Amino acid sequence: VLGYLVTGTILGPSVLNIAHDTEQIAHLAEYGVIMLMFLIGLELRPQRLWELRQSILLMGSLQMLISGIVLTLAIWLVFSWQFNTSVVIGFALALSSTAFVLQLLRDRDQLATSFGQQTFSILLFQDVAAMALIPVLAGNIFIENQGSAHHGIAYFAAVIASFSGLFLFSRYILRPFFRFVAKSAATELLTAVALFIVLGVAVLMEAIGLSTTLGAFLTGVLLADSEFRHELEASIQPFKGLLLGLFFMTVGMGVSLHVIVEQPLL
């Protein structure tokens, strides 16, 4: 991961400026994170997720609340910024990068350990909390327009409808279709269907303003107990590795070295 970050910094605008359109590259690289979350979901059967519910709710909420409150108060008292601003920055800093942490746990083969499962529970709670809190903050604190498409009852109705639809689609349409494709014994068709699932869910979530990574994760969970889980994993894995490496490079491209040089203490 550090190698990707350093490479991205060297290729980015701060050094060689070879990669000009960083934003466009980052948009493509986000699919690496989406595929990572899909593969993580494939490893978790719904029963396993249900077993982790206490860890997700307890550990996740404690981490978010304690870290968010401490950081908010520190920023508010030290910088004397508006309290609303301090809340947003404090709780943003309380979040972790799911892609970074899960990738490190997978590389070290620690995801199945006790602390690895606790860490995963916290990360999952963070993703859900971010998906729920961002539209609420945008609607109530910063934007006076209460008719926002991403706010209120309509937003959460869209969440419930989308995930209910994913459940029905995976159960009654996707699995029979996989059986039909598997009979052809054409591996390229299985790869095409696997990519279609992940990209289709990402496009759907983005269209209705929901978290693409959370949508991909839940789709993986819904397919975790299917007989084609290993075929899906094998098809997605190479694309995930390449795009996730690109994602880490785009993070490095976003580093502004001139700011560090001009204001090293800050």
Side-chain angles (χ1 to χ4, degrees), residues 96-217:
S96 311
S97 169
T98 303
F100 271 81
V101 179
L102 288 182
Q103 184 64 26
L104 290 172
L105 288 173
R106 284 171 69 96
D107 288 346
R108 297 172 182 174
D109 199 23
Q110 294 173 333
L111 195 56
T113 63
S114 176
F115 80 88
Q117 292 294 300
Q118 297 292 340
T119 303
F120 173 76
S121 300
I122 292 172
L123 291 169
L124 185 57
F125 183 89
Q126 288 182 357
D127 286 338
V128 175
M131 185 185 76
L133 284 175
I134 288 173
V136 171
L137 289 171
N140 287 337
I141 297 179
F142 300 104
I143 301 174
E144 295 181 359
N145 177 19
Q146 296 299 312
S148 173
H150 299 286
H151 174 67
I153 297 173
Y155 175 79
F156 290 103
V159 174
I160 295 169
S162 300
F163 293 145
S164 300
L166 282 176
F167 172 77
L168 294 173
F169 178 74
S170 67
R171 179 70 61 179
Y172 298 108
I173 298 177
L174 204 53
R175 293 186 186 189
F177 182 65
F178 254 116
R179 295 187 190 99
F180 172 74
V181 172
K183 288 179 181 178
S184 69
T187 53
E188 67 275 10
L189 282 180
L190 282 172
T191 302
V193 173
L195 287 173
F196 172 77
I197 293 167
V198 178
L199 300 180
V201 169
V203 170
L204 174 65
M205 295 295 109
E206 194 170 10
I208 57 182
L210 302 182
S211 169
T212 53
T213 53
L214 188 61
F217 168 75

Side-chain angles (χ1 to χ4, degrees), residues 225-259:
D225 57 354
S226 103
E227 61 269 40
F228 302 104
R229 179 171 69 89
H230 297 296
E231 287 84 349
L232 279 168
E233 190 172 0
S235 298
I236 295 294
Q237 191 71 38
F239 299 97
K240 185 273 297 183
L242 288 170
L243 290 172
L244 200 59
L246 185 61
F247 168 78
F248 292 134
M249 288 173 66
T250 59
V251 175
M253 292 174 192
V255 174
S256 300
L257 292 180
H258 67 275
V259 175

